[in-house]
Amino acid sequence: MGPPGGRGSPTARGSLQHLLLFLLFVGPFNCFASYSRATELFYSLNEGLPAGVLIGSLARDLQLPTAGGQHPVAPLSFTLASHGLGGQYVQLDNRSGELHTSAMEIDREALCVESSGATIFGSSSVSSSSPSSEPCLLLLDVLVLPQEYFRLVKVKIAIRDVNDNAPRFPVPHIHLSVPENAPVNTRLAIEHPALDPDMGTNGVQTYRLQDNYGVFTLDVEENESGERTPYLIVMGALDRETQEEYVTVIVAEDGGTPPLVGSATLTIGISDINDNCPQFNDSQLNVTLYGNSSLGTHVATVHAVDMDLGSNAQVTYSYSQKVHQPSRDLFHLNESTGAITLSTKVDGDTPKLHRLIILGNGPGCIPAVITVVVTIIKVMMRPPEVVPRFIANEVEGVVYLKELEPINTPIAFFTIKDPDEKYKVSCYLDGDGPFRLSPYKPYNNEYLLETIKPLDFETQQLYEISVVAWNSEGFRVNKVIKVQVLDDNDNSPVFSEQLIELSIEENNVPNAFLTKLHATDADSGERGQVSYFLGPDAPSYFALDKTTGVLTVSTQLDREEKEKYRYTVKAVDSGFPPRESIATVAITVLDKNDNSPRFINKDFSFFVPENFPGFGEIGVISVTDADAGQNGWVALSVLNGSDIFVIDTGKGVLRAKVSLDREQQSSYVLWIEAVDGGDPALSSTAKITILLLDINDNPPLVLFPQSNMSYLLVLPSTLPGSPITEVYAVDKDTGMNAVIAYSIIGRRGPRPESFRIDPKTGNITLEESLMQNDYGLYRLLVKVSDHGYPEPLHSTVMVNLFVNDTVSNESYIESLLRKEPDISIEEKQPQISVEPTHKKMESASCMPTLVALSIISLGSIALVTGMGIYICLRQGKRHHRADENLEVQIPLNGRINLHMLEKKPVEISNI
């Protein structure tokens, strides 16, 4: 319950005027003055609750006496002062004072209009503050009666937000354009972020792509006002010719529990750059031309294809320097279309064969080459005759016509005939222009040349057309006619530029000069005089001089307030009626350095394998600056650790000067400073964490036994399974690189297989009971190997065990240890399963069997002889065995040099 308030507001007193006058006359004045006071109660509830949910009990919270108490009291009455907007959402029990939700569901987003302050809907008044941090309040005025308990209660109900709205994009389809040469880590803002009416964490939190095609990802930036904008980041190479468009779904997710999502279709278009060159489909083209062909005859057309778009795909054609000048003069090559036409007449001296080497040229490309071989076939006949008779004004082959002449204005008659009177002759009109050549009936060989559209001097002043006649044998003749168009007053002023782009630095001086407009009128005299005016969409603080066309701005411009201005200007001539034209002025307000550089992340983390080569690329620190030009240029530097690390100022590539060793230091924390190019310069910093990943660069280090020369006494009475000793080693690496395995790779002794080693712990135990013949020195070569990848490292150590009851002569044992032991390396041979091969025996092949039996018999005799010699030698040298009890009683695979055993460095302490 809130603290007691002061007297009611003027609006509340006005609404209760009649009730207060009644109470003043029917009750004791001192009683009324004691209990009439305003009180505030504050409640809160979630939006969207059903009808009947208890909000609070006014009687209990106001601590008013009830009918069930010890002292009888008059029944209390609770009444809403007025049934305004707030009263629609609650129900008040007049007797108990309990406040419940009504059947009208409370929707915080529809009810409250968010603004900089709290949004409050009251039944009789609107307050400008609230005792709660909730932004949406319902305000009710409740009257408590009877007279002795009268009071006006201000009830404020805070509406808490729940996650009942999913994020929604303002448009269902979002289009984004990315150039195909965009480098990796290029960031492009998505201009239509999702909206969520919910507040706080229930609003939009994250974005993701349903399909990133392996080349895109999303990042979210939050500005100072808390608005989150998604950015598309290019993560791989793009090629428009391979795929010119990517269509995916962008998903926005809020932070509610459970989270709600919204989506829109994201279309990423890949814009073209000039990365392809022209190509001809064929390397050679063969054509035939008749010797009686008329001038302008089409010979051939070459066409090269460039896979790019627009101007990048524009191909021009030219002759190679290898083409002889006579061929160049004979054939005209259109550099735009690749069309080859006959430009001079073919006579008896014209060569019959021409090789035209043509180049297809593209911007920044090596030309494509095609060869056109033209073979000329000479024909002996007289060409058709073309006789003109001009109707329009003609002087020396030039016809003069005024512009705006009516359609179907006659120009000339043409008589077409064959001088030999043997062939049928036809004709047609060649060339561009609004002209038509048609038969003039009833005559068979008469044709009329006339206009079919109005002529325009400003569009084209001179036309050159040809009347071409050819006979049934294909012989062609053409008559060239020039048509000169005469000028008339039919032109409007023309600006030198339809779009006038200007720039001015913000905070300019008043009445600053912007530009001088210039428009021309093709007409002459007064009709060509031009005046200048601002269009209706121009802001009032721009001025344009009518006569000179000087454009100025009368006030200071602020880039942060408005960066672009676009409006129209008019140029009007002095004709009657006047003609005018319109141009567009586009003004860009240039930036001053008022934004600090901004890193894409506050903290960067990079994982780098140890022993990474010096000056290798650790990562890229991306930073942007909202300013433009030099103000937006950013230089990066390392504030700490500059003796080890260095950063590329332009590209943001972080490198280490030396190779890093994880065993010396596992992580580094750097601070990177970004300074822009403004004057004065602005800066910002970011934290960089570099974590070194372990690689297997340390072999196990044997700590026990400490020397290859140490030994241990083993009593013959030792029971099988008893631990004898252990090999203990450590590895400076981590993970699987530090997991150690133990194995015996070489043995020497009377019965060396009596001992085994645990591969995990390194414990050496006795496998079998020791007999009288097992006394002596045992030497076990133990290999200690890690589980590193891609190649494990290992060390070796010699474990010496002396089986005897006592050690009576230590110097003798030490002398045995100093001798180089002959130890065979134990290698597990692959088990090869040999299956018997059944072959048919030929009855006649007995000789190999007899030879084999003979060899076996001789071998048996040699073996018996050798064993006899061995027994004799053994008995003769029995006394020598006491001194050489290390003699191996089993055949060894070979001798081993312990100094040459390990190809890798071996670390054994105290050797």
Side-chain angles (χ1 to χ4, degrees):
M1 181 174 67
R7 300 177 67 181
S9 66
T11 306
R13 291 199 302 271
S15 65
L16 302 176
Q17 181 178 5
H18 295 77
L19 180 59
L20 294 177
L21 290 174
F22 172 78
L23 293 174
L24 285 173
F25 287 101
V26 300
F29 181 77
N30 57 351
C31 182
F32 172 76
S34 175
Y35 289 95
S36 62
R37 61 186 182 274
T39 305
E40 284 190 347
L41 291 177
F42 186 82
Y43 300 100
S44 63
L45 75 159
N46 292 339
E47 64 173 325
L49 295 177
V53 176
L54 177 64
I55 300 174
S57 174
L58 274 63
R60 182 183 68 247
D61 297 334
L62 293 173
Q63 298 180 0
L64 296 176
T66 59
Q70 296 179 356
H71 303 286
V73 296
L76 298 176
S77 174
F78 299 84
T79 308
L80 288 174
S82 64
H83 295 277
L85 178 62
Q88 301 176 12
Y89 297 95
V90 298
Q91 287 182 342
L92 178 62
D93 191 312
N94 294 338
R95 294 299 179 186
S96 65
E98 289 184 348
L99 199 62
H100 295 82
T101 56
S102 68
M104 182 175 292
E105 182 177 294
I106 299 176
D107 185 359
R108 190 194 68 84
E109 289 74 26
L111 182 66
C112 298
V113 180
E114 295 186 3
S115 62
S116 58
T119 303
I120 305 174
F121 292 83
S123 61
S124 59
S125 64
V126 178
S127 173
S128 60
S129 63
S130 171
S132 170
S133 61
E134 297 288 342
C136 183
L137 295 176
L138 287 179
L139 182 63
L140 307 174
D141 290 342
V142 180
L143 294 175
V144 182
L145 297 174
Q147 166 192 342
E148 58 267 32
Y149 298 105
F150 171 78
R151 65 184 65 191
L152 176 64
V153 181
K154 298 282 187 178
V155 179
K156 296 181 179 179
I157 304 174
I159 309 302
R160 294 192 297 263
D161 181 60
V162 299
N163 190 30
D164 58 347
N165 291 279
R168 182 176 178 272
F169 287 88
V171 293
H173 298 278
I174 302 174
H175 296 272
L176 200 61
S177 179
V178 182
E180 65 175 325
N181 64 340
V184 175
N185 292 327
T186 296
R187 300 171 61 85
L188 297 150
I190 297 177
E191 298 296 338
H192 302 283
L195 305 175
D196 194 331
D198 295 323
M199 60 185 297
T201 57
N202 291 334
V204 178
Q205 299 296 315
T206 61
Y207 292 84
R208 68 177 185 272
L209 292 177
Q210 197 172 81
D211 185 2
N212 59 17
Y213 294 94
V215 293
F216 299 105
T217 187
L218 286 181
D219 188 20
V220 180
E221 284 192 8
E222 183 176 353
N223 59 19
E224 296 177 355
S225 61
E227 297 177 349
R228 297 172 181 262
T229 301
Y231 279 77
L232 182 74
I233 303 178
V234 178
M235 302 299 293
L238 304 175
D239 186 6
R240 187 202 64 80
E241 287 73 26
T242 302
Q243 185 166 351
E244 64 180 4
E245 188 179 77
Y246 297 85
V247 180
T248 183
V249 175
I250 180 172
V251 180
E253 182 174 306
D254 63 23
T257 304
L260 302 178
V261 299
S263 63
T265 301
L266 177 62
T267 301
I268 306 169
I270 309 302
S271 58
D272 183 65
I273 64 168
N274 187 30
D275 56 351
N276 290 279
C277 289
Q279 294 290 334
F280 287 104
N281 291 331
D282 301 307
S283 61
Q284 182 169 312
L285 183 63
N286 299 314
V287 295
T288 301
L289 180 67
Y290 289 99
N292 60 352
S293 299
S294 59
L295 297 180
T297 299
H298 179 266
V299 179
T301 299
V302 295
H303 181 65
V305 178
D306 192 323
M307 298 300 294
D308 293 322
L309 293 177
S311 61
N312 295 332
Q314 185 175 359
V315 181
T316 60
Y317 304 89
S318 62
Y319 282 126
S320 169
Q321 296 295 330
K322 298 180 180 179
V323 178
H324 300 298
Q325 191 61 41
S327 297
R328 293 171 179 261
D329 297 336
L330 184 62
F331 300 102
H332 171 72
L333 173 63
N334 189 306
E335 66 175 8
S336 300
T337 64
I340 305 172
T341 56
L342 186 65
S343 59
T344 60
K345 286 187 176 182
V346 177
D347 54 28
D349 298 329
T350 303
K352 295 182 179 181
L353 184 65
H354 298 265
R355 298 181 62 86
L356 307 178
I357 301 175
I358 299 175
L359 307 179
N361 305 290
C365 291
I366 297 175
V369 181
I370 187 172
T371 301
V372 178
V373 179
V374 182
T375 302
I376 298 178
I377 301 175
K378 294 186 178 181
V379 179
M380 299 302 296
M381 66 172 60
R382 289 197 297 170
E385 293 181 356
V386 178
V387 180
R389 288 171 293 165
F390 293 98
I391 303 172
N393 184 24
E394 180 265 339
V395 177
E396 296 181 356
V398 179
V399 178
Y400 295 90
L401 293 176
K402 290 184 178 181
E403 62 178 337
L404 304 181
E405 285 280 1
I407 300 176
N408 299 327
T409 297
I411 299 175
F413 278 110
F414 289 89
T415 302
I416 309 300
K417 60 182 179 179
D418 178 28
D420 298 327
E421 297 182 353
K422 295 191 300 184
Y423 305 102
K424 181 181 178 180
V425 180
S426 302
C427 71
Y428 67 92
L429 187 65
D430 187 24
D432 297 329
F435 307 104
R436 175 176 59 196
L437 182 66
S438 57
Y440 190 75
K441 297 180 180 180
Y443 305 105
N444 293 330
N445 59 343
E446 297 290 338
Y447 293 83
L448 175 63
L449 178 64
E450 59 185 348
T451 61
I452 57 174
K453 290 182 180 180
L455 302 176
D456 185 5
F457 174 82
E458 289 70 33
T459 302
Q460 187 167 344
Q461 302 171 9
L462 181 65
Y463 294 90
E464 186 171 321
I465 55 178
S466 299
V467 176
V468 181
W470 81 98
N471 59 24
S472 56
E473 296 298 319
F475 207 105
R476 297 174 183 268
V477 169
N478 64 339
K479 178 67 176 180
V480 178
I481 302 169
K482 295 183 180 180
V483 179
Q484 177 69 53
V485 181
L486 302 178
D487 187 27
D488 202 349
N489 181 30
D490 60 343
N491 292 283
S492 299
V494 178
F495 281 97
S496 57
E497 294 177 323
Q498 286 298 312
L499 177 61
I500 304 167
E501 296 181 317
L502 308 173
S503 62
I504 183 172
E505 194 174 60
E506 61 180 330
N507 303 325
N508 56 281
V509 297
N511 300 317
F513 172 83
L514 293 175
T515 189
K516 183 177 181 180
L517 303 181
H518 181 65
T520 58
D521 195 311
D523 296 327
S524 58
E526 292 184 354
R527 296 183 297 273
Q529 295 180 0
V530 180
S531 300
Y532 303 92
F533 302 93
L534 288 173
D537 55 345
S540 59
Y541 38 85
F542 290 94
L544 178 61
D545 188 276
K546 175 182 177 181
T547 304
T548 63
V550 173
L551 181 64
T552 58
V553 57
S554 61
T555 186
Q556 285 188 348
L557 301 179
D558 185 1
R559 176 185 174 273
E560 284 67 36
E561 180 179 335
K562 190 172 183 180
E563 183 181 6
K564 301 285 186 180
Y565 293 89
R566 192 180 183 94
Y567 53 85
T568 57
V569 291
K570 295 190 297 182
V572 184
D573 65 18
S574 301
F576 184 82
R579 293 179 175 270
E580 68 178 36
S581 63
I582 298 176
T584 301
V585 175
I587 301 176
T588 301
V589 182
L590 300 180
D591 180 52
K592 286 190 176 181
N593 190 32
D594 55 354
N595 290 280
S596 301
R598 181 170 181 174
F599 291 90
I600 62 170
N601 295 318
K602 296 179 181 178
D603 296 324
F604 292 83
S605 297
F606 298 107
F607 295 87
V608 181
E610 65 171 332
N611 300 333
F612 194 68
F615 292 96
E617 180 178 327
I618 294 176
V620 177
I621 312 300
S622 298
V623 62
T624 60
D625 195 306
D627 294 323
Q630 186 70 17
N631 294 334
W633 180 85
V634 179
L636 298 173
S637 61
V638 181
L639 295 180
N640 63 321
S642 59
D643 54 335
I644 299 178
F645 297 94
V646 65
I647 190 167
D648 190 317
T649 298
K651 298 180 180 179
V653 178
L654 182 64
R655 307 175 189 274
K657 298 179 182 178
V658 297
S659 179
L660 304 178
D661 188 356
R662 189 201 61 82
E663 285 73 35
Q664 294 182 3
Q665 185 170 346
S666 61
S667 65
Y668 296 86
V669 176
L670 306 178
W671 289 95
I672 303 297
E673 182 182 36
V675 181
D676 64 20
D679 186 17
L682 301 177
S683 64
S684 61
T685 58
K687 180 182 178 183
I688 313 298
T689 302
I690 301 172
L691 302 174
L692 298 184
L693 304 177
D694 182 55
I695 64 172
N696 192 29
D697 58 345
N698 290 282
L701 176 64
V702 179
L703 301 180
F704 185 84
Q706 298 180 352
S707 172
N708 285 339
M709 302 299 293
S710 62
Y711 67 94
L712 180 70
L713 177 65
V714 180
L715 298 177
S717 60
T718 302
L719 297 177
S722 299
I724 303 301
T725 184
E726 68 171 347
V727 176
Y728 179 71
V730 296
D731 197 306
K732 294 181 181 180
D733 295 318
T734 60
M736 294 302 295
N737 296 334
V739 176
I740 296 176
Y742 302 87
S743 61
I744 299 175
I745 62 172
R747 304 169 184 263
R748 172 70 182 234
R751 193 153 55 98
E753 67 276 4
S754 300
F755 299 94
R756 67 174 297 273
I757 189 169
D758 189 294
K760 295 182 179 179
T761 64
N763 292 333
I764 297 177
T765 57
L766 181 64
E767 283 290 285
E768 301 174 357
S769 299
L770 297 173
M771 309 300 292
Q772 183 67 28
N773 293 334
D774 297 335
Y775 284 41
L777 182 63
Y778 291 76
R779 308 198 74 174
L780 307 178
L781 182 61
V782 177
K783 178 181 179 181
V784 184
S785 176
D786 61 25
H787 286 66
Y789 181 84
E791 182 178 359
L793 303 179
H794 66 272
S795 304
T796 58
V797 65
M798 186 70 73
V799 177
N800 303 301
L801 304 176
F802 184 63
V803 178
N804 205 353
D805 294 321
T806 60
V807 178
S808 59
N809 191 349
E810 293 186 0
S811 60
Y812 170 70
I813 298 175
E814 292 175 356
S815 66
L816 294 179
L817 293 175
R818 284 191 294 269
K819 292 182 179 181
E820 189 71 26
D822 294 337
I823 298 180
S824 63
I825 302 300
E826 296 181 358
E827 297 181 355
K828 293 184 178 180
Q829 298 294 336
Q831 297 181 356
I832 302 175
S833 176
V834 180
E835 297 182 359
T837 303
H838 300 283
K839 297 182 179 180
K840 294 182 180 181
M841 300 295 294
E842 297 181 359
S843 58
S845 59
C846 296
M847 186 60 66
T849 303
L850 296 176
V851 173
L853 291 176
S854 301
I855 294 174
I856 291 173
S857 300
L858 294 176
S860 300
I861 296 172
L863 178 62
V864 171
T865 304
M867 291 180 63
I869 296 172
Y870 172 77
I871 293 173
C872 294
L873 292 175
R874 183 180 179 188
Q875 291 178 350
K877 298 181 180 180
R878 186 178 301 273
H879 65 279
H880 184 66
R881 175 176 181 152
D883 295 335
E884 298 292 333
N885 57 2
L886 286 176
E887 193 70 35
V888 180
Q889 299 179 10
I890 58 175
L892 299 178
N893 292 333
R895 299 176 61 86
I896 180 170
N897 189 343
L898 288 179
H899 297 291
M900 300 299 292
L901 180 61
E902 303 301 336
K903 295 182 180 180
K904 300 183 180 297
V906 179
E907 294 185 32
I908 301 178
S909 61
N910 300 329
I911 296 179

